[in-house]
Amino acid sequence: MSVMYFTANISFRNLLFVLILMMSQSVLAAMLAQKRPGYTLELLSEQKPALVVSLRARLQAHREYIEKSKVKETIKAIAEDEQRVLEKSARALGFYDVDVKAEYEVNAQGPIRYKIDAGEAYQLEKIEYRFPAILQQEKFTLKGLKIGDALNAEYVLLAEKDLLQQLGTHCLYELDLSYKVTLSREKKKATIVFNLTDSPPSHFRTISFEGLEHTKEEFLRSQTSLKVGDCYSATRLNTERLKLLQTNLLNSVSPVVTHGNFVKPDNIDGRESYPIDITFQVAERKYRSIKAGAGYSTDEQAGISLEWQNRNSFGSGESMKVEWGLNGIRQHLDATYTIPHFYSEDRRLEIEALVEEEDTAAFESIKVELSATIIRSFWTNFLFMYGTQFAHSKVSEDDERENFNLVSAPVGLTWNKRDDLLNTTTGMTLSTSVAPFQDIHKEDLRFLRGTLAGTFFISASQLRTHPTLATRVTMGSMTGSSLDKIPADERFYSGGGGSIRGYAYQLAGELTDGLPNGGKSFGELVVESRFKLSPTWGLVAFVDGGYAYPEEMPSFGEDFLWGAGLGIRYFTGFAPIRFDVAVPLDKRENIDDDYQIYISIGQAF
């Protein structure tokens, strides 16, 4: 077969490298294409460097937003559009008499020269409050707004938000706040008047739920911070509604407010306040589901998986998931029980039991594993995990069988800034983990395993093919016991559909008689260029490189085995279906096949 013959040819290898490089470079080059023409900003009046910086930033932000559109504009249309942006931006900074003119050549590609006569900035002269009588003696402070400063629209909006927060402590049933700005063209001054519609003071008298079938009411109450006697606030009510939806147990939450026409007020801390009754009308999600999956690769053969999940096992969001999977080298049964909000809203506990059998080129093993892991989210997009794990395994290697009883305490940290888990186009992830291992029956068997991984994605979504350049870098290291003492199923391996495509499972590393030894370290680099040809079809070109080393530290790039290939993506409503064909660029005689095929759901990473 001619395809098989040419995969080992040096010229074809070079051709593949050139092809992948050109496609990857095209992603970056595409991001520089179809940009608006260059421009310059020139102030005709007194120099105001801060104004120029601000206008340039706002114009650039507008360009980045507008260039996502596929509409091609004339230079005249671009100039008129950006004139409006510059004028609006200058007024938002207090320069209400601004005048912007654009100079350009009609038949040229640019640049555009914007001449700006900004005039003087209008200064804030006075702030007035037209509030109900109950609030007229109150003192309010506004962040950002100061008498004598330039009238900045952003600071006005921040002040309005700050004022709403201060008014929220007064238990008003309605917070209908508005403001009006009056300009004095002669004095270049401005006055802001904040107006609040009169409203009765109110508090929460009762809080109830309707529509619950399987979910416990006390659990939903614990997810909100509403308490009887608290000040009524429509904004706070909406915030609590979102908290309930974020439990993922409810399809809809509709708060119904009953106030009794404000007939009789209660006495709350010496003040009159009208009672409000809140009823959350909810519709629960289906909490049981069954999933099935299938995939194929030439190294792992056909594979199937079945999953059953109950997302609300005992009425408080506890999840039970059982998964069974089988392919040519592995079968497993995995049960995971998750307790959300484990002594904290940002913490969950996962208890897992796994039974696994593997029959690979490197080893055969039967393993029973039990683990308990606490996962905590903090800051923005960070996850911290720590736990304990026990694994009993019977591992056969080189016709010798040995039993292991390993206890470990893994710790990990992940930062995830991706836009989509199954089809990422922008963002990045960084993760690291460390786990010490000790065999409870073999004092001399102890080792420390650590990994570090990063994925990076950049896209030009404004272009027709939505090109994305995706990169993954992964490495790991073990220290402690010698390689031959570390259980074969705990060593590092490279090669296969989730690692180095083009090489069979575990075969990108040191071999003995054609069989993988595994390693105490590994390094991998994967680069993909992704193109979307239509709403349902896409094309991918990729280069993968990696190796599993017997030493404790990887020689990153040295001795790497490289593979390359092309793939097709069929985009469904939930995730792309992947079909990849890869060839080994460093094919080893009588070891590596001419090509490998991979079929699965989701991108490679």
Side-chain angles (χ1 to χ4, degrees):
M1 186 174 179
S2 60
V3 174
M4 294 183 182
Y5 173 78
F6 281 111
T7 53
N9 191 289
I10 297 298
S11 62
F12 182 63
R13 167 181 170 166
N14 293 338
L15 178 62
L16 273 174
F17 264 126
V18 172
L19 175 63
I20 303 302
L21 181 61
M22 290 176 62
M23 296 186 74
S24 299
Q25 287 179 335
S26 67
V27 176
L28 296 173
M31 297 176 188
L32 302 176
Q34 298 189 9
K35 299 291 185 180
R36 289 191 167 197
Y39 67 88
T40 59
L41 300 181
E42 179 184 349
L43 279 179
L44 300 182
S45 54
E46 179 185 354
Q47 291 299 308
K48 302 177 180 65
L51 175 60
V52 174
V53 171
S54 181
L55 292 180
R56 183 177 289 111
R58 297 194 183 201
L59 183 56
Q60 188 62 33
H62 175 72
R63 286 188 166 213
E64 291 175 0
Y65 168 78
I66 210 66
E67 282 166 3
K68 294 181 181 179
S69 171
K70 301 176 184 177
V71 179
K72 294 185 177 180
E73 301 174 286
T74 64
I75 194 169
K76 180 175 183 294
I78 292 173
E80 290 175 349
D81 173 47
E82 294 185 343
Q83 273 183 273
R84 289 189 291 269
V85 171
L86 289 170
E87 289 172 352
K88 184 177 180 180
S89 299
R91 292 190 184 102
L93 296 171
F95 296 89
Y96 286 91
D97 297 329
V98 64
D99 180 48
V100 180
K101 290 184 171 56
E103 295 181 354
Y104 55 87
E105 294 183 18
V106 176
N107 298 322
Q109 297 300 315
I112 304 175
R113 184 183 182 188
Y114 294 104
K115 294 185 176 181
I116 304 170
D117 186 357
E120 295 182 26
Y122 281 62
Q123 295 179 337
L124 183 59
E125 184 180 35
K126 188 177 182 182
I127 301 175
E128 295 182 4
Y129 301 97
R130 295 179 182 175
F131 287 176
I134 192 174
L135 298 175
Q136 287 182 357
Q137 303 301 317
E138 296 288 336
K139 300 295 183 181
F140 299 98
T141 58
L142 302 181
K143 297 177 182 178
L145 282 186
K146 294 181 180 179
I147 301 299
D149 285 355
L151 183 62
N152 188 309
E154 181 180 355
Y155 292 161
V156 174
L157 294 176
L158 290 174
E160 182 188 30
K161 182 179 179 180
D162 184 39
L163 191 54
L164 280 170
Q165 291 179 344
Q166 296 179 57
L167 291 170
T169 63
H170 291 273
C171 308
L172 300 179
Y173 178 68
E174 289 183 332
L175 281 180
D176 185 8
L177 180 67
S178 61
Y179 68 87
K180 182 178 180 181
V181 178
T182 303
L183 301 177
S184 171
R185 298 286 182 179
E186 293 181 358
K187 298 190 297 182
K188 308 297 181 185
K189 302 289 184 181
T191 299
I192 300 178
V193 177
F194 288 99
N195 182 72
L196 180 66
T197 303
D198 198 4
S199 174
S202 305
H203 66 277
F204 294 111
R205 178 173 61 181
T206 62
I207 303 167
S208 59
F209 292 82
E210 287 185 359
L212 295 177
E213 298 179 14
H214 306 287
T215 305
K216 295 179 181 178
E217 181 172 326
E218 54 266 33
F219 171 72
L220 292 182
R221 287 182 179 275
S222 70
Q223 301 307 297
T224 75
S225 59
L226 291 182
K227 298 292 185 296
V228 172
D230 286 355
C231 289
Y232 174 84
S233 166
T235 301
R236 184 181 174 193
L237 195 60
N238 187 58
T239 299
E240 301 303 323
R241 171 183 171 272
L242 292 177
K243 286 183 181 179
L244 293 173
L245 287 172
Q246 287 169 356
T247 63
N248 292 320
L249 301 179
L250 308 173
N251 274 330
S252 63
V253 178
S254 302
V256 177
V257 180
T258 306
H259 55 69
N261 296 319
F262 303 110
V263 175
K264 184 179 178 182
D266 292 339
N267 189 298
I268 302 295
D269 296 330
R271 300 174 62 183
E272 286 190 348
S273 179
Y274 291 87
I276 299 292
D277 298 319
I278 300 296
T279 301
F280 289 102
Q281 295 182 347
V282 304
E284 294 186 353
R285 293 180 61 189
K286 293 181 179 180
Y287 58 94
R288 292 193 183 98
S289 63
I290 298 177
K291 297 180 183 179
Y296 173 83
S297 66
T298 49
D299 52 8
E300 299 181 28
Q301 304 301 314
I304 59 173
S305 65
L306 295 174
E307 178 188 297
W308 173 87
Q309 184 175 11
N310 184 332
R311 287 182 294 272
N312 195 14
S313 301
F314 300 105
S316 298
E318 306 93 342
S319 171
M320 172 63 77
K321 182 174 70 174
V322 179
E323 180 184 27
W324 171 81
L326 171 68
N327 59 30
I329 63 174
R330 179 177 183 261
Q331 60 176 321
H332 72 279
L333 181 64
D334 190 358
T336 304
Y337 180 63
T338 303
I339 303 176
H341 314 294
F342 186 68
Y343 292 103
S344 174
E345 289 188 3
D346 58 359
R347 185 187 298 130
R348 70 178 187 267
L349 171 65
E350 291 186 357
I351 302 172
E352 183 177 6
L354 170 69
V355 180
E356 178 183 59
E357 181 178 5
E358 289 187 275
D359 186 358
T360 73
F363 60 85
E364 296 178 15
S365 73
I366 298 177
K367 177 191 290 186
V368 178
E369 185 175 279
L370 301 173
S371 65
T373 306
I374 292 177
I375 302 172
R376 181 189 174 194
S377 59
F378 65 101
W379 292 343
T380 303
N381 305 310
F382 277 90
L383 285 179
F384 177 64
M385 60 81 65
Y386 56 96
T388 184
Q389 183 181 86
F390 170 76
H392 170 74
S393 61
K394 296 180 179 180
V395 182
S396 297
E397 182 184 18
D398 298 329
D399 297 326
E400 294 185 6
R401 171 168 290 192
E402 191 171 0
N403 293 338
F404 298 95
N405 296 278
L406 292 175
V407 176
S408 64
V411 177
L413 180 66
T414 299
W415 179 63
N416 186 352
K417 194 63 175 177
R418 292 185 293 174
D419 62 341
D420 190 308
L421 293 179
L422 291 175
N423 186 30
T424 308
T425 57
T426 60
M428 63 185 295
T429 62
L430 295 173
S431 64
T432 184
S433 65
V434 177
F437 289 80
Q438 171 69 61
D439 192 296
I440 60 177
H441 292 150
K442 302 174 183 178
E443 293 184 0
D444 61 339
L445 177 52
R446 62 171 64 92
F447 57 95
L448 181 69
R449 181 171 63 189
T451 60
L452 181 64
T455 58
F456 311 90
F457 305 86
I458 54 175
S459 297
S461 57
Q462 74 273 18
L463 302 184
R464 188 179 63 84
T465 58
H466 303 280
T468 298
L469 183 63
T471 305
R472 184 184 69 202
V473 182
T474 316
M475 63 181 297
S477 175
M478 290 186 192
T479 185
S481 299
S482 60
L483 180 63
D484 59 338
K485 287 187 177 181
I486 296 174
D489 61 339
E490 298 291 349
R491 300 171 192 163
F492 291 123
Y493 298 89
S494 286
S499 176
I500 310 301
R501 287 165 288 186
Y503 297 89
Y505 184 67
Q506 297 183 337
L507 288 188
E510 296 284 328
L511 307 178
T512 299
D513 298 328
L515 301 179
N517 299 329
K520 294 184 70 175
S521 66
F522 80 102
E524 293 178 354
L525 173 64
V526 179
V527 179
E528 283 195 353
S529 294
R530 303 172 182 173
F531 301 88
K532 199 166 185 180
L533 305 179
S534 73
T536 54
W537 291 99
L539 178 67
V540 171
F542 55 86
V543 172
D544 299 357
Y547 201 79
Y549 300 89
E551 299 84 10
E552 291 186 355
M553 293 301 295
S555 303
F556 213 85
E558 188 176 328
D559 297 324
F560 263 29
L561 295 178
W562 294 93
L566 298 173
I568 295 174
R569 302 291 183 266
Y570 177 74
F571 297 97
T572 66
F574 61 95
I577 296 176
R578 172 167 71 109
F579 178 90
D580 289 341
V581 179
V583 299
L585 300 181
D586 299 293
K587 184 181 177 185
R588 297 163 294 184
E589 193 68 28
N590 300 322
I591 296 175
D592 301 316
D593 294 327
D594 294 302
Y595 60 88
Q596 298 284 343
I597 296 174
Y598 310 95
I599 304 173
S600 64
I601 296 176
Q603 297 282 10
F605 61 93

